[in-house]
Amino acid sequence: MLGWALTFLVVALIAAALGFGGIAGASAGIAKILFFIFIVLFVVAMIARALKGRPPV
C-alpha cells in the first residue's frame, strides 16, 4: 500500500511539473489517503502483535 501511495505521489509531482493541475491535485489526494490508511493498518498490526505476546519489531 505504501508503494501505491509513493506511485501516486510521483504521478502528482510529474503532472504538476507539466502543468496538469487537476490530475496533480487528484493524485496527491489519493496518495494522502493511501498513506493514512497505511499508517492506521501499521499501528493496528503493531498493537495486535503486542497483544499476542510478541514484542513489536
Short mmCIF file of all heavy atoms in Angstrom, two decimals:
data_model
loop_
_atom_site.label_atom_id
_atom_site.label_comp_id
_atom_site.label_asym_id
_atom_site.label_seq_id
_atom_site.Cartn_x
_atom_site.Cartn_y
_atom_site.Cartn_z
N MET A 1 0.83 -1.19 0.00
CA MET A 1 0.00 0.00 0.00
C MET A 1 0.87 1.25 0.00
O MET A 1 0.52 2.24 -0.63
CB MET A 1 -0.93 -0.02 1.20
CG MET A 1 -1.90 1.13 1.19
SD MET A 1 -3.25 1.02 2.33
CE MET A 1 -4.03 -0.47 1.85
N LEU A 2 1.96 1.17 0.72
CA LEU A 2 2.86 2.32 0.74
C LEU A 2 3.45 2.56 -0.65
O LEU A 2 3.66 3.70 -1.07
CB LEU A 2 3.96 2.11 1.77
CG LEU A 2 4.86 3.30 2.07
CD1 LEU A 2 4.05 4.48 2.55
CD2 LEU A 2 5.89 2.93 3.11
N GLY A 3 3.66 1.48 -1.37
CA GLY A 3 4.16 1.59 -2.75
C GLY A 3 3.18 2.33 -3.66
O GLY A 3 3.58 3.14 -4.50
N TRP A 4 1.89 2.06 -3.49
CA TRP A 4 0.87 2.76 -4.27
C TRP A 4 0.84 4.23 -3.91
O TRP A 4 0.69 5.09 -4.79
CB TRP A 4 -0.51 2.14 -4.03
CG TRP A 4 -0.72 0.89 -4.81
CD1 TRP A 4 -0.62 -0.38 -4.34
CD2 TRP A 4 -1.01 0.78 -6.19
NE1 TRP A 4 -0.86 -1.27 -5.35
CE2 TRP A 4 -1.10 -0.58 -6.50
CE3 TRP A 4 -1.21 1.72 -7.20
CZ2 TRP A 4 -1.39 -1.03 -7.78
CZ3 TRP A 4 -1.49 1.27 -8.47
CH2 TRP A 4 -1.58 -0.09 -8.76
N ALA A 5 0.99 4.54 -2.63
CA ALA A 5 1.00 5.94 -2.22
C ALA A 5 2.17 6.68 -2.86
O ALA A 5 2.03 7.81 -3.34
CB ALA A 5 1.05 6.05 -0.70
N LEU A 6 3.33 6.04 -2.86
CA LEU A 6 4.51 6.66 -3.49
C LEU A 6 4.32 6.81 -5.00
O LEU A 6 4.75 7.80 -5.58
CB LEU A 6 5.75 5.83 -3.17
CG LEU A 6 6.21 5.87 -1.72
CD1 LEU A 6 7.37 4.92 -1.50
CD2 LEU A 6 6.59 7.28 -1.31
N THR A 7 3.67 5.83 -5.62
CA THR A 7 3.41 5.91 -7.05
C THR A 7 2.52 7.11 -7.38
O THR A 7 2.81 7.87 -8.31
CB THR A 7 2.74 4.61 -7.55
OG1 THR A 7 3.61 3.51 -7.27
CG2 THR A 7 2.45 4.69 -9.04
N PHE A 8 1.44 7.28 -6.62
CA PHE A 8 0.55 8.42 -6.86
C PHE A 8 1.26 9.74 -6.55
O PHE A 8 0.99 10.76 -7.20
CB PHE A 8 -0.73 8.29 -6.04
CG PHE A 8 -1.76 7.40 -6.71
CD1 PHE A 8 -2.00 6.14 -6.23
CD2 PHE A 8 -2.46 7.85 -7.81
CE1 PHE A 8 -2.94 5.32 -6.84
CE2 PHE A 8 -3.40 7.05 -8.43
CZ PHE A 8 -3.63 5.77 -7.95
N LEU A 9 2.16 9.74 -5.58
CA LEU A 9 2.92 10.96 -5.29
C LEU A 9 3.82 11.32 -6.47
O LEU A 9 3.89 12.49 -6.87
CB LEU A 9 3.76 10.77 -4.02
CG LEU A 9 4.64 11.95 -3.63
CD1 LEU A 9 3.78 13.16 -3.29
CD2 LEU A 9 5.53 11.58 -2.46
N VAL A 10 4.46 10.34 -7.05
CA VAL A 10 5.32 10.60 -8.22
C VAL A 10 4.48 11.09 -9.39
O VAL A 10 4.87 12.04 -10.09
CB VAL A 10 6.12 9.33 -8.59
CG1 VAL A 10 6.81 9.48 -9.94
CG2 VAL A 10 7.15 9.02 -7.51
N VAL A 11 3.33 10.47 -9.61
CA VAL A 11 2.44 10.91 -10.68
C VAL A 11 2.01 12.36 -10.45
O VAL A 11 1.98 13.17 -11.39
CB VAL A 11 1.21 9.98 -10.80
CG1 VAL A 11 0.14 10.57 -11.70
CG2 VAL A 11 1.62 8.61 -11.30
N ALA A 12 1.70 12.70 -9.20
CA ALA A 12 1.29 14.07 -8.89
C ALA A 12 2.42 15.05 -9.15
O ALA A 12 2.19 16.14 -9.69
CB ALA A 12 0.85 14.16 -7.43
N LEU A 13 3.63 14.69 -8.77
CA LEU A 13 4.76 15.58 -8.99
C LEU A 13 5.04 15.80 -10.48
O LEU A 13 5.30 16.92 -10.92
CB LEU A 13 6.01 15.04 -8.29
CG LEU A 13 5.97 15.07 -6.76
CD1 LEU A 13 7.19 14.36 -6.20
CD2 LEU A 13 5.90 16.50 -6.25
N ILE A 14 4.97 14.73 -11.25
CA ILE A 14 5.20 14.84 -12.70
C ILE A 14 4.09 15.66 -13.35
O ILE A 14 4.36 16.55 -14.18
CB ILE A 14 5.31 13.45 -13.34
CG1 ILE A 14 6.60 12.76 -12.86
CG2 ILE A 14 5.28 13.54 -14.86
CD1 ILE A 14 6.71 11.30 -13.27
N ALA A 15 2.83 15.41 -12.95
CA ALA A 15 1.71 16.15 -13.52
C ALA A 15 1.81 17.63 -13.15
O ALA A 15 1.51 18.50 -13.98
CB ALA A 15 0.38 15.57 -13.03
N ALA A 16 2.23 17.93 -11.93
CA ALA A 16 2.37 19.34 -11.52
C ALA A 16 3.48 20.02 -12.31
O ALA A 16 3.34 21.17 -12.71
CB ALA A 16 2.66 19.41 -10.03
N ALA A 17 4.57 19.29 -12.56
CA ALA A 17 5.68 19.87 -13.31
C ALA A 17 5.28 20.15 -14.76
O ALA A 17 5.77 21.10 -15.37
CB ALA A 17 6.88 18.92 -13.28
N LEU A 18 4.36 19.34 -15.30
CA LEU A 18 3.93 19.53 -16.68
C LEU A 18 2.72 20.46 -16.80
O LEU A 18 2.26 20.73 -17.90
CB LEU A 18 3.61 18.17 -17.31
CG LEU A 18 4.80 17.22 -17.46
CD1 LEU A 18 4.34 15.88 -18.00
CD2 LEU A 18 5.87 17.82 -18.36
N GLY A 19 2.20 20.92 -15.66
CA GLY A 19 1.11 21.89 -15.70
C GLY A 19 -0.29 21.32 -15.65
O GLY A 19 -1.26 22.02 -15.90
N PHE A 20 -0.42 20.05 -15.34
CA PHE A 20 -1.74 19.44 -15.23
C PHE A 20 -2.20 19.51 -13.78
O PHE A 20 -2.05 18.58 -13.00
CB PHE A 20 -1.69 17.97 -15.69
CG PHE A 20 -1.30 17.82 -17.13
CD1 PHE A 20 -0.04 17.33 -17.47
CD2 PHE A 20 -2.18 18.16 -18.14
CE1 PHE A 20 0.31 17.19 -18.80
CE2 PHE A 20 -1.84 18.02 -19.47
CZ PHE A 20 -0.58 17.54 -19.80
N GLY A 21 -2.80 20.63 -13.42
CA GLY A 21 -3.17 20.88 -12.02
C GLY A 21 -4.24 19.95 -11.49
O GLY A 21 -4.18 19.51 -10.34
N GLY A 22 -5.24 19.64 -12.30
CA GLY A 22 -6.32 18.76 -11.85
C GLY A 22 -5.84 17.36 -11.55
O GLY A 22 -6.18 16.76 -10.53
N ILE A 23 -5.04 16.82 -12.45
CA ILE A 23 -4.50 15.47 -12.26
C ILE A 23 -3.54 15.46 -11.08
O ILE A 23 -3.54 14.52 -10.28
CB ILE A 23 -3.80 14.98 -13.54
CG1 ILE A 23 -4.82 14.84 -14.67
CG2 ILE A 23 -3.09 13.66 -13.30
CD1 ILE A 23 -4.22 14.56 -16.01
N ALA A 24 -2.75 16.50 -10.94
CA ALA A 24 -1.80 16.57 -9.83
C ALA A 24 -2.53 16.62 -8.49
O ALA A 24 -2.15 15.93 -7.54
CB ALA A 24 -0.91 17.80 -9.99
N GLY A 25 -3.59 17.41 -8.42
CA GLY A 25 -4.36 17.50 -7.18
C GLY A 25 -5.03 16.19 -6.81
O GLY A 25 -5.03 15.78 -5.65
N ALA A 26 -5.61 15.54 -7.82
CA ALA A 26 -6.28 14.27 -7.57
C ALA A 26 -5.29 13.20 -7.13
O ALA A 26 -5.54 12.45 -6.19
CB ALA A 26 -7.02 13.81 -8.82
N SER A 27 -4.15 13.13 -7.79
CA SER A 27 -3.13 12.14 -7.44
C SER A 27 -2.56 12.40 -6.05
O SER A 27 -2.32 11.46 -5.29
CB SER A 27 -2.00 12.14 -8.47
OG SER A 27 -2.47 11.71 -9.71
N ALA A 28 -2.36 13.65 -5.72
CA ALA A 28 -1.85 13.98 -4.38
C ALA A 28 -2.88 13.61 -3.32
O ALA A 28 -2.52 13.10 -2.25
CB ALA A 28 -1.51 15.46 -4.30
N GLY A 29 -4.15 13.83 -3.60
CA GLY A 29 -5.20 13.46 -2.66
C GLY A 29 -5.26 11.96 -2.45
O GLY A 29 -5.38 11.48 -1.31
N ILE A 30 -5.17 11.20 -3.52
CA ILE A 30 -5.17 9.73 -3.42
C ILE A 30 -3.95 9.26 -2.64
O ILE A 30 -4.04 8.37 -1.80
CB ILE A 30 -5.22 9.09 -4.82
CG1 ILE A 30 -6.58 9.38 -5.47
CG2 ILE A 30 -4.99 7.60 -4.74
CD1 ILE A 30 -6.65 9.00 -6.93
N ALA A 31 -2.80 9.87 -2.91
CA ALA A 31 -1.57 9.49 -2.20
C ALA A 31 -1.72 9.75 -0.71
O ALA A 31 -1.30 8.92 0.11
CB ALA A 31 -0.38 10.25 -2.76
N LYS A 32 -2.33 10.87 -0.32
CA LYS A 32 -2.53 11.17 1.10
C LYS A 32 -3.45 10.15 1.76
O LYS A 32 -3.17 9.67 2.86
CB LYS A 32 -3.10 12.57 1.28
CG LYS A 32 -2.07 13.66 1.28
CD LYS A 32 -2.62 14.93 1.89
CE LYS A 32 -3.38 15.73 0.87
NZ LYS A 32 -3.75 17.06 1.32
N ILE A 33 -4.54 9.82 1.09
CA ILE A 33 -5.48 8.86 1.64
C ILE A 33 -4.82 7.50 1.82
O ILE A 33 -4.95 6.87 2.89
CB ILE A 33 -6.72 8.75 0.72
CG1 ILE A 33 -7.54 10.03 0.79
CG2 ILE A 33 -7.58 7.55 1.10
CD1 ILE A 33 -8.62 10.12 -0.26
N LEU A 34 -4.11 7.03 0.81
CA LEU A 34 -3.43 5.73 0.91
C LEU A 34 -2.38 5.74 2.00
O LEU A 34 -2.20 4.75 2.72
CB LEU A 34 -2.80 5.36 -0.43
CG LEU A 34 -3.78 4.97 -1.53
CD1 LEU A 34 -3.02 4.73 -2.84
CD2 LEU A 34 -4.56 3.73 -1.13
N PHE A 35 -1.67 6.84 2.17
CA PHE A 35 -0.65 6.92 3.21
C PHE A 35 -1.27 6.82 4.59
O PHE A 35 -0.77 6.09 5.46
CB PHE A 35 0.15 8.23 3.08
CG PHE A 35 1.21 8.38 4.13
CD1 PHE A 35 2.35 7.61 4.08
CD2 PHE A 35 1.05 9.27 5.17
CE1 PHE A 35 3.33 7.74 5.05
CE2 PHE A 35 2.01 9.41 6.14
CZ PHE A 35 3.16 8.64 6.08
N PHE A 36 -2.38 7.52 4.82
CA PHE A 36 -3.01 7.47 6.14
C PHE A 36 -3.62 6.09 6.41
O PHE A 36 -3.58 5.61 7.53
CB PHE A 36 -4.04 8.58 6.29
CG PHE A 36 -3.42 9.93 6.50
CD1 PHE A 36 -3.66 10.97 5.62
CD2 PHE A 36 -2.56 10.15 7.56
CE1 PHE A 36 -3.06 12.21 5.80
CE2 PHE A 36 -1.96 11.39 7.75
CZ PHE A 36 -2.22 12.42 6.87
N ILE A 37 -4.16 5.45 5.38
CA ILE A 37 -4.66 4.08 5.55
C ILE A 37 -3.51 3.16 5.92
O ILE A 37 -3.64 2.29 6.80
CB ILE A 37 -5.38 3.60 4.28
CG1 ILE A 37 -6.69 4.36 4.11
CG2 ILE A 37 -5.67 2.10 4.35
CD1 ILE A 37 -7.39 4.09 2.79
N PHE A 38 -2.36 3.33 5.27
CA PHE A 38 -1.18 2.53 5.59
C PHE A 38 -0.76 2.73 7.04
O PHE A 38 -0.48 1.76 7.75
CB PHE A 38 -0.01 2.90 4.66
CG PHE A 38 1.30 2.33 5.11
CD1 PHE A 38 1.60 1.01 4.90
CD2 PHE A 38 2.23 3.14 5.76
CE1 PHE A 38 2.82 0.48 5.32
CE2 PHE A 38 3.43 2.63 6.18
CZ PHE A 38 3.73 1.29 5.96
N ILE A 39 -0.73 3.97 7.50
CA ILE A 39 -0.33 4.25 8.88
C ILE A 39 -1.29 3.59 9.86
O ILE A 39 -0.86 2.98 10.85
CB ILE A 39 -0.25 5.78 9.13
CG1 ILE A 39 0.89 6.39 8.32
CG2 ILE A 39 -0.09 6.11 10.60
CD1 ILE A 39 2.26 5.92 8.72
N VAL A 40 -2.60 3.70 9.62
CA VAL A 40 -3.59 3.09 10.51
C VAL A 40 -3.42 1.57 10.55
O VAL A 40 -3.40 0.96 11.64
CB VAL A 40 -5.02 3.48 10.08
CG1 VAL A 40 -6.07 2.65 10.80
CG2 VAL A 40 -5.26 4.96 10.32
N LEU A 41 -3.27 0.95 9.40
CA LEU A 41 -3.09 -0.50 9.37
C LEU A 41 -1.79 -0.93 10.04
O LEU A 41 -1.73 -1.97 10.70
CB LEU A 41 -3.14 -1.01 7.93
CG LEU A 41 -4.50 -0.93 7.25
CD1 LEU A 41 -4.39 -1.39 5.80
CD2 LEU A 41 -5.53 -1.75 8.00
N PHE A 42 -0.74 -0.14 9.89
CA PHE A 42 0.53 -0.45 10.53
C PHE A 42 0.39 -0.41 12.05
O PHE A 42 0.87 -1.30 12.75
CB PHE A 42 1.60 0.55 10.06
CG PHE A 42 2.93 0.33 10.70
CD1 PHE A 42 3.72 -0.73 10.31
CD2 PHE A 42 3.41 1.19 11.68
CE1 PHE A 42 4.96 -0.94 10.89
CE2 PHE A 42 4.63 0.99 12.27
CZ PHE A 42 5.42 -0.08 11.87
N VAL A 43 -0.27 0.63 12.57
CA VAL A 43 -0.46 0.74 14.01
C VAL A 43 -1.32 -0.40 14.54
O VAL A 43 -1.01 -1.00 15.58
CB VAL A 43 -1.07 2.12 14.37
CG1 VAL A 43 -1.53 2.17 15.81
CG2 VAL A 43 -0.06 3.23 14.09
N VAL A 44 -2.39 -0.74 13.82
CA VAL A 44 -3.25 -1.86 14.23
C VAL A 44 -2.46 -3.16 14.26
O VAL A 44 -2.59 -3.96 15.19
CB VAL A 44 -4.48 -1.96 13.30
CG1 VAL A 44 -5.23 -3.26 13.52
CG2 VAL A 44 -5.40 -0.78 13.52
N ALA A 45 -1.63 -3.38 13.26
CA ALA A 45 -0.82 -4.60 13.21
C ALA A 45 0.18 -4.64 14.37
O ALA A 45 0.40 -5.70 14.98
CB ALA A 45 -0.08 -4.70 11.88
N MET A 46 0.77 -3.51 14.72
CA MET A 46 1.72 -3.49 15.83
C MET A 46 1.01 -3.74 17.18
O MET A 46 1.54 -4.45 18.03
CB MET A 46 2.46 -2.16 15.88
CG MET A 46 3.48 -1.96 14.78
SD MET A 46 4.84 -3.14 14.89
CE MET A 46 4.50 -4.16 13.47
N ILE A 47 -0.19 -3.19 17.32
CA ILE A 47 -0.95 -3.42 18.56
C ILE A 47 -1.36 -4.89 18.65
O ILE A 47 -1.24 -5.51 19.72
CB ILE A 47 -2.18 -2.48 18.63
CG1 ILE A 47 -1.72 -1.04 18.83
CG2 ILE A 47 -3.13 -2.90 19.73
CD1 ILE A 47 -2.82 -0.01 18.70
N ALA A 48 -1.82 -5.45 17.56
CA ALA A 48 -2.22 -6.86 17.55
C ALA A 48 -1.03 -7.76 17.86
O ALA A 48 -1.15 -8.74 18.60
CB ALA A 48 -2.82 -7.23 16.20
N ARG A 49 0.12 -7.42 17.32
CA ARG A 49 1.32 -8.22 17.58
C ARG A 49 1.73 -8.12 19.04
O ARG A 49 2.12 -9.11 19.65
CB ARG A 49 2.45 -7.74 16.68
CG ARG A 49 3.70 -8.55 16.80
CD ARG A 49 4.76 -8.03 15.82
NE ARG A 49 5.99 -8.72 15.99
CZ ARG A 49 6.41 -9.69 15.20
NH1 ARG A 49 5.67 -10.05 14.17
NH2 ARG A 49 7.56 -10.30 15.42
N ALA A 50 1.62 -6.94 19.64
CA ALA A 50 1.97 -6.76 21.04
C ALA A 50 0.99 -7.50 21.94
O ALA A 50 1.39 -8.06 22.98
CB ALA A 50 1.99 -5.28 21.39
N LEU A 51 -0.30 -7.54 21.58
CA LEU A 51 -1.28 -8.23 22.39
C LEU A 51 -1.12 -9.75 22.34
O LEU A 51 -1.52 -10.44 23.26
CB LEU A 51 -2.69 -7.84 21.96
CG LEU A 51 -3.11 -6.41 22.29
CD1 LEU A 51 -4.49 -6.12 21.73
CD2 LEU A 51 -3.05 -6.14 23.77
N LYS A 52 -0.54 -10.26 21.26
CA LYS A 52 -0.29 -11.69 21.16
C LYS A 52 0.91 -12.12 21.98
O LYS A 52 1.19 -13.30 22.08
CB LYS A 52 -0.08 -12.09 19.69
CG LYS A 52 -1.35 -12.12 18.89
CD LYS A 52 -1.07 -12.65 17.50
CE LYS A 52 -2.34 -12.73 16.71
NZ LYS A 52 -2.09 -13.26 15.37
N GLY A 53 1.63 -11.18 22.54
CA GLY A 53 2.77 -11.52 23.39
C GLY A 53 4.12 -11.37 22.75
O GLY A 53 5.14 -11.53 23.37
N ARG A 54 4.13 -11.09 21.45
CA ARG A 54 5.41 -10.89 20.77
C ARG A 54 5.75 -9.41 20.79
O ARG A 54 4.89 -8.57 20.52
CB ARG A 54 5.34 -11.39 19.33
CG ARG A 54 5.18 -12.90 19.25
CD ARG A 54 5.15 -13.35 17.83
NE ARG A 54 3.81 -13.04 17.29
CZ ARG A 54 3.44 -13.28 16.07
NH1 ARG A 54 4.27 -13.81 15.22
NH2 ARG A 54 2.23 -12.99 15.67
N PRO A 55 6.97 -9.07 21.08
CA PRO A 55 7.34 -7.63 21.10
C PRO A 55 7.33 -7.06 19.68
O PRO A 55 7.64 -7.77 18.72
CB PRO A 55 8.75 -7.63 21.66
CG PRO A 55 9.28 -9.00 21.38
CD PRO A 55 8.09 -9.92 21.41
N PRO A 56 6.96 -5.81 19.55
CA PRO A 56 6.99 -5.19 18.22
C PRO A 56 8.41 -5.07 17.71
O PRO A 56 9.34 -4.81 18.46
CB PRO A 56 6.38 -3.81 18.43
CG PRO A 56 6.20 -3.64 19.89
CD PRO A 56 6.46 -4.94 20.57
N VAL A 57 8.56 -5.26 16.42
CA VAL A 57 9.90 -5.21 15.81
C VAL A 57 10.13 -3.87 15.20
O VAL A 57 9.32 -3.25 14.67
CB VAL A 57 10.04 -6.32 14.74
CG1 VAL A 57 11.38 -6.23 14.05
CG2 VAL A 57 9.86 -7.67 15.37
#
